[in-house]
Amino acid sequence: MKTAVYPGSFDPVTNGHLDIINRSSKIVDKLIVAILNNSNKSPLFSLEERVEMLKLATSHLQNVEIATFSGLLVDFMSQANANIIVKGLRSVIDFEYEFQIALLNKVLDTNTETLFLMTNRNYSYISSSVVKDVAKYGGDLTGLLPEATIEIVKRKYKK
Ligand code: PNS
């Protein structure tokens, strides 16, 4: 069974992420979307909120699971019996960084393969950071975020 992990902060999950999830879940038997629980970063959304939004966004996909992890990604992967890391690439800026990380993960665990999917051009400009900015100033989130999560993101800024 081919199990892959799509790791990230998902603060929050965007339509760019969802596109990578949709496409990669068709390539593997099981896809685990793994949310990093990182105490060094200060995410806007709690781990529970990020899990909830990912569950809502991926409810149509039977072979996708949502999980959280802390520590090294390769350690989480060996516990999950997965050896494929899925990453999306939007630009050469992403590439420079992701190339380094892919090599590092390969050194940490030689069984690991990183599978890069090129972004869908419709979503190449989307990132969690720009979406948060739009949400903060009350802009229209349609098309940027999975439909099922828009209200959760808006609510965050109403508080
Ligand atoms: O969405 P992000 O914040 O760009 O995701 C980064 C993530 C979670 C993929 C990366 O930071 C990660 O894998 N962290 C886990 C710790 C680890 O394994 N570090 C070594 C490789 S970066």
Side-chain angles (χ1 to χ4, degrees):
M1 177 150 120
K2 258 188 251 153
T3 304
V5 171
Y6 179 36
S9 301
F10 303 107
D11 185 41
V13 57
T14 67
N15 273 346
H17 296 129
L18 185 56
D19 175 61
I20 298 293
I21 295 170
N22 277 324
R23 288 160 58 202
S24 58
S25 67
K26 294 195 187 102
I27 299 172
V28 298
D29 299 307
K30 180 165 130 185
L31 179 71
I32 304 171
V33 181
I35 310 168
L36 177 66
N37 184 11
N38 185 346
S39 51
N40 299 331
K41 285 193 179 181
S42 352
L44 175 67
F45 294 93
S46 70
L47 201 56
E48 293 71 26
E49 287 170 321
R50 286 179 282 155
V51 169
E52 185 194 355
M53 286 190 278
L54 271 160
K55 282 191 174 164
L56 287 169
T58 61
S59 61
H60 60 293
L61 298 168
Q62 303 307 312
N63 65 336
V64 173
E65 279 177 20
I66 313 303
T68 64
F69 76 105
S70 47
L72 286 179
L73 175 62
V74 290
D75 291 338
F76 171 77
M77 292 187 57
S78 64
Q79 283 161 28
N81 260 321
N83 74 326
I84 304 166
I85 302 171
V86 170
K87 288 288 181 85
L89 285 181
R90 289 167 301 191
S91 65
V92 284
I93 300 163
D94 279 353
F95 176 78
E96 294 257 349
Y97 176 71
E98 294 298 346
F99 184 51
Q100 180 192 11
I101 302 301
L103 295 182
L104 174 65
N105 281 324
K106 188 79 175 163
V107 168
L108 291 172
D109 184 343
T110 51
N111 289 320
T112 302
E113 295 296 348
T114 304
L115 178 67
F116 289 107
L117 296 189
M118 295 300 159
T119 185
N120 177 322
R121 67 195 159 95
N122 297 330
Y123 304 124
S124 60
Y125 61 94
I126 301 178
S127 68
S128 294
S129 310
V130 299
V131 166
K132 279 183 276 194
D133 229 33
V134 174
K136 186 173 169 184
Y137 298 110
D140 185 3
L141 295 166
T142 313
L144 303 178
L145 291 176
E147 276 301 316
T149 69
I150 289 181
E151 277 312 310
I152 298 174
V153 173
K154 278 189 181 170
R155 220 185 298 143
K156 188 60 125 183
Y157 286 99
K158 278 186 196 144
K159 282 180 190 165

